[in-house]
């Protein structure tokens, strides 16, 4: 028998548009990678050492479904100390395979067929996949450049319908590097909680803030039970490949997520969880050092793009992403990014990959060396001045 008998679920989940760029980039030589959303630093040595010791001590077996109890305790201490969130480590914390599986399990635990889920637009592309996987209907909440790509409480309020189940918020944001001011985020959460709408707060970039302040919506006890706080070791400690993250939420939500996690992955890797424990409990100087390097690179990127005629680039207050506007070129962002890659060997991500409001922008990752960033800028500047990026219309 031939044919395709895949589930409708698998068919619904779109393939990432970013892949088109990757697929071309891997066939080319001498590519400057400004598209990759992962830190270029090594995992801190004390974390590597702790994992080495843990593996030799036998942390190589299955862990409890909710995760290593010691790591859960460390997470509960961390979120109380740093985020103002009180959580019982026995029932209100789950360790996951990165922020990715925390968000996927939370969406699967909360969303039924036909439920509406509000998503930031532009926003991290995987949110859309998670919602479609769960059978939900995505509802975009546009973020405006002139408002620093912050979430606007009134726009959120206007999008709520009787079918709305959930909103995903992400401050600091991938792809824009924007922060939603604490007052606005608190207001969004109050509006949602008041309407019986859950809030997943994706805080994986919380430590990469250069200006402004990170705010965790679950720190407000009045709304705490409506908020699922997601975090990860990936970006903070340069631990993307260890696949360890966590979520903090009310007991029934964590219990639902745990049931799903048990079926999908059993538990996250035991040795990675020991590495996570060392990261949380160990010295934090590595985090500050990485942030300072990102800050320097950010300044080079912003200054560099604003110097090239046609680009305009806001200074992102956080993350390792800039989101320059390419609107004045009059070229769709996918075509722009493909042309840039073909003509200059510089890989970037088209803003369109992050939702309809991302059209007219490029996402630039500065999780790469200053030397690569400078070379990328030089090539783009040359391509623009030679007319390679002029609209053909
Ligand atoms: N959330 C956002 C906004 C991200 O950009 C990413 C990774 O790029 C993640 C979550 C998930 O990262 P991980 O699963 O490695 O923790």
């Amino acid at each position: 028998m031939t044919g395709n008998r895949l589930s409708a679920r698998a068919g619904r989940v779109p393939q990432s548009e970013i892949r088109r760029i990757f697929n071309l980039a891997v066939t080319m030589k001498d590519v400057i990678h400004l598209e990759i959303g992962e830190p270029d630093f090594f995992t801190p040595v004390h974390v590597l050492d702790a994992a080495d010791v843990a593996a030799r001590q036998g942390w190589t077996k299955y862990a409890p479904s909710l995760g290593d109890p010691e790591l859960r305790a460390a997470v509960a201490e961390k979120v109380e100390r740093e985020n103002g969130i009180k959580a019982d480590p026995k029932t209100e914390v789950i360790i996951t395979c990165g922020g990715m599986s925390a968000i996927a399990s939370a969406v699967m635990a909360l969303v039924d067929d036909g439920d509406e889920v509000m998503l930031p637009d532009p926003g991290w592309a995987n949110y859309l996949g998670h919602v479609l996987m769960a059978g939900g209907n995505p509802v975009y909440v546009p973020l405006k450049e002139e408002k620093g790509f912050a979430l606007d409480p009134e726009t959120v309020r206007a999008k709520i319908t009787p079918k709305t189940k959930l909103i995903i918020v992400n401050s600091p944001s991938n792809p824009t590097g924007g922060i939603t001011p604490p007052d606005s985020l608190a207001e969004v959460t109050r509006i949602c909680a008041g309407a019986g709408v859950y809030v997943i707060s994706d805080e994986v970039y919380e430590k990469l803030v250069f200006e402004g302040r990170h705010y965790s919506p679950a720190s407000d006890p009045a709304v705490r039970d409506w908020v699922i706080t997601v975090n990860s070791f990936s970006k903070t400690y340069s631990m993307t490949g260890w696949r360890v993250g966590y979520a903090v939420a009310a007991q029934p939500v964590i219990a639902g997520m745990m049931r799903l996690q048990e079926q999908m992955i059993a538990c996250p890797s035991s040795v990675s969880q020991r590495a996570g424990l060392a990261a949380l409990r160990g010295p934090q100087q590595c985090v500050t050092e990485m942030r300072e390097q990102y800050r320097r690179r950010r300044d080079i990127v912003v200054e560099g793009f604003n110097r090239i005629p046609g680009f305009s680039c806001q200074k992102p207050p956080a993350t390792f992403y800039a989101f320059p506007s390419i609107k004045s070129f009059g070229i769709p962002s996918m075509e722009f990014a493909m042309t840039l890659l073909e003509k200059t060997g510089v890989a970037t991500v088209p803003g369109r990959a992050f939702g309809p409001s991302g059209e007219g922008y490029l996402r630039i990752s500065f999780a790469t060396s200053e030397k690569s960033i400078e070379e990328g800028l030089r090539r783009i500047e040359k391509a623009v001045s030679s007319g390679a990026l002029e609209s053909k219309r």
Side-chain angles (χ1 to χ4, degrees), residues 37 98-100 103 124 127 170 174 202 204-205 232 234-235 243:
M100 177 78 89
I103 298 165
W124 189 45
Y127 301 143
N170 176 220
N174 174 9
D202 177 352
V204 303
Y205 294 99
S232 168
S234 290
K235 316 288 172 170
R243 307 311 302 132

Side-chain angles (χ1 to χ4, degrees), residues 90-207:
K90 292 199 180 67
T91 56
E92 296 181 322
V93 176
I94 185 169
I95 311 299
T96 56
C97 282
M100 177 78 89
S101 88
I103 298 165
S105 306
V107 171
M108 292 292 278
L110 298 171
V111 174
D112 282 315
D113 279 348
D115 284 348
E116 291 177 5
V117 180
M118 296 185 283
L119 298 178
D121 172 28
W124 189 45
N126 294 74
Y127 301 143
L128 177 67
H130 292 147
V131 171
L132 295 174
M133 205 164 81
N137 290 332
V139 174
Y140 285 122
V141 182
L143 310 179
K144 302 265 185 254
E145 184 181 7
E146 55 280 15
K147 300 241 171 88
F149 296 108
L151 204 52
D152 171 46
E154 289 317 311
T155 311
V156 171
R157 193 195 302 275
K159 297 271 178 188
I160 295 178
T161 75
K163 291 194 163 167
T164 312
K165 190 68 169 291
L166 172 68
I167 183 171
I168 304 183
V169 301
N170 176 220
S171 175
S173 143
N174 174 9
T176 68
I179 292 180
T180 296
D183 289 359
S184 303
L185 203 46
E187 177 68 7
V188 165
T189 315
R190 276 194 297 269
I191 292 168
C192 290
V197 171
Y198 284 101
V199 177
I200 293 180
S201 178
D202 177 352
E203 305 184 14
V204 303
Y205 294 99
E206 69 162 344
K207 295 287 181 183

Side-chain angles (χ1 to χ4, degrees), residues 133-315:
M133 205 164 81
N137 290 332
V139 174
Y140 285 122
V141 182
L143 310 179
K144 302 265 185 254
E145 184 181 7
E146 55 280 15
K147 300 241 171 88
F149 296 108
L151 204 52
D152 171 46
E154 289 317 311
T155 311
V156 171
R157 193 195 302 275
K159 297 271 178 188
I160 295 178
T161 75
K163 291 194 163 167
T164 312
K165 190 68 169 291
L166 172 68
I167 183 171
I168 304 183
V169 301
N170 176 220
S171 175
S173 143
N174 174 9
T176 68
I179 292 180
T180 296
D183 289 359
S184 303
L185 203 46
E187 177 68 7
V188 165
T189 315
R190 276 194 297 269
I191 292 168
C192 290
V197 171
Y198 284 101
V199 177
I200 293 180
S201 178
D202 177 352
E203 305 184 14
V204 303
Y205 294 99
E206 69 162 344
K207 295 287 181 183
L208 299 182
V209 173
F210 313 119
E211 288 103 25
R213 183 164 76 79
H214 175 68
Y215 173 73
S216 294
S219 59
D220 176 356
V223 298
R224 177 198 174 282
D225 284 357
W226 290 98
V227 183
I228 299 92
T229 304
V230 170
N231 214 324
S232 168
F233 296 84
S234 290
K235 316 288 172 170
T236 304
Y237 299 102
S238 201
M239 286 177 65
T240 44
W242 297 80
R243 307 311 302 132
V244 55
Y246 56 88
V248 175
Q251 182 273 334
V253 177
I254 294 294
M257 290 172 67
M258 187 193 77
R259 287 198 295 276
L260 294 163
Q261 170 150 298
E262 262 174 13
Q263 300 305 321
M264 301 289 279
I265 60 162
C267 60
S269 144
S270 297
V271 78
S272 292
Q273 295 191 67
R274 297 314 278 183
L277 184 63
L280 274 190
R281 292 243 161 103
Q284 301 298 304
Q285 182 61 20
C286 52
V287 179
T288 313
E289 280 166 14
M290 288 190 267
R291 180 172 56 236
E292 288 316 303
Q293 294 212 42
Y294 290 132
R295 184 201 300 273
R296 272 206 303 281
R297 297 168 179 182
R298 187 258 328 240
D299 293 344
I300 296 170
V301 165
V302 171
E303 204 258 314
F305 274 104
N306 284 328
R307 204 177 53 218
I308 304 173
F311 285 94
S312 93
C313 187
Q314 282 199 355
K315 199 183 235 192

